[in-house]
Amino acid sequence: MAKAAKKPASDSEKIVLAIDIGGSHVKILTSAGGEERRADSGPGLTPQQMIASVQTLADGLPYDVVSIGYPGPVRHNRPLADPANLGKGWAGFDFATQFGKPVKLVNDALMQAVGSYEGGRMLFLGLGTGLGAAMILDNVAQPMELAHLPYKKRGSFEDYVGERGLEKRGKKKWRKHVLDVVERLRAALQPDYVVIGGGNVDKLDELPAGCRRGDNTRAFEGGFRLWRDKSLIV
């Protein structure tokens, strides 16, 4: 008697490789568990170099599908533009073909926001090399390009609360600007709560009311949820 064909794994059963692309490091983790693995990135990193690094990092790790958090705007599962803090050649790049597996590509702040979401209206702000932002309203996730909106007389939000602002003005003034930017965005967008994440959130001694501290590792959880959470609209 012929064997029955093996039923394909559902999205909830598939092993997800989550990739978080940052200005300093490329980090990976699979939904099967284990330890985070990372490699250096930097201002010259191209998509081909990123893929080569990930393939080296993921050597020996089984996975079925891929989630990528990309530091820039995304449209139709591809980068819309090259990132400000990495190399060239990202715009329009086809990651699914290069990996040979299904890929979901989203803005990196959105991926961490998805991993941090606990319902309602949430605003996510990522303090890192730049300023990442996303909102999720009743399971509908929306990336937001707020970093380059005008702020003060001659700058943008990112100029004051990103890494350059921290280095240029020092920690005390940087904290003051972070609190001011958060309050402005809360007043404009009216979230139920704000999650402040990114690599520099640890430099804040205290958070504004209605805010909680994020965790960069939630980006991986967001990558897993992109495939597993059927209630999520991205």
Side-chain angles (χ1 to χ4, degrees):
M1 189 174 180
K3 280 187 176 181
K6 187 176 180 182
K7 186 179 178 181
S10 67
D11 284 349
S12 63
E13 296 171 326
K14 290 174 180 174
I15 298 175
V16 183
L17 172 66
I19 304 169
D20 185 15
I21 305 171
S24 302
H25 297 94
V26 175
K27 297 171 283 188
I28 71 167
L29 185 71
T30 78
S31 57
E35 296 292 325
E36 172 193 307
R37 301 181 182 185
R38 62 171 59 195
D40 292 338
S41 56
L45 187 74
T46 66
Q48 293 88 350
Q49 290 170 341
M50 186 279 290
I51 288 171
S53 290
V54 167
Q55 288 173 337
T56 299
L57 291 172
D59 186 40
L61 296 177
Y63 59 95
D64 304 303
V65 294
V66 180
S67 293
I68 302 175
Y70 173 75
V74 172
R75 185 78 52 84
H76 304 309
N77 223 35
R78 297 191 185 189
L80 194 60
D82 288 341
N85 301 304
L86 298 176
K88 303 297 183 184
W90 296 83
F93 194 84
D94 183 357
F95 291 96
T97 296
Q98 295 297 316
F99 277 104
K101 294 180 184 289
V103 171
K104 290 189 178 183
L105 180 80
V106 297
N107 173 265
D108 59 345
L110 184 63
M111 194 160 88
Q112 191 173 155
V114 168
S116 305
Y117 184 58
E118 295 180 354
R121 296 169 57 95
M122 182 193 78
L123 171 64
F124 174 84
L125 298 173
L127 303 174
T129 307
L131 173 66
M135 273 201 88
I136 305 181
L137 290 80
D138 298 326
N139 291 312
V140 178
Q142 178 63 47
M144 306 183 78
E145 292 296 320
L146 303 178
H148 302 294
L149 292 178
Y151 180 63
K152 302 291 186 182
K153 288 185 178 180
R154 298 178 183 174
S156 66
F157 286 142
E158 184 168 285
D159 291 331
Y160 282 82
V161 303
E163 190 73 38
R164 288 190 302 273
L166 175 61
E167 293 173 353
K168 181 178 179 179
R169 298 178 181 88
K171 195 179 292 185
K172 185 176 180 180
K173 287 186 177 179
W174 175 83
R175 286 172 175 161
K176 182 179 177 182
H177 290 132
V178 168
L179 296 181
D180 182 52
V181 167
V182 170
E183 288 307 314
R184 287 169 185 253
L185 293 175
R186 282 187 65 195
L189 300 170
Q190 295 292 300
D192 297 327
Y193 60 102
V194 180
V195 175
I196 304 177
N200 285 332
V201 68
D202 291 340
K203 295 181 173 67
L204 294 175
D205 289 338
E206 57 185 53
L207 301 181
C211 298
R212 65 178 171 84
R213 200 175 297 270
D215 184 334
N216 277 357
T217 62
R218 302 304 295 177
F220 296 125
E221 177 61 27
F224 306 153
R225 283 187 183 179
L226 289 177
W227 289 97
R228 295 179 167 184
D229 188 344
K230 298 304 180 185
S231 67
L232 190 68
I233 301 171
V234 180

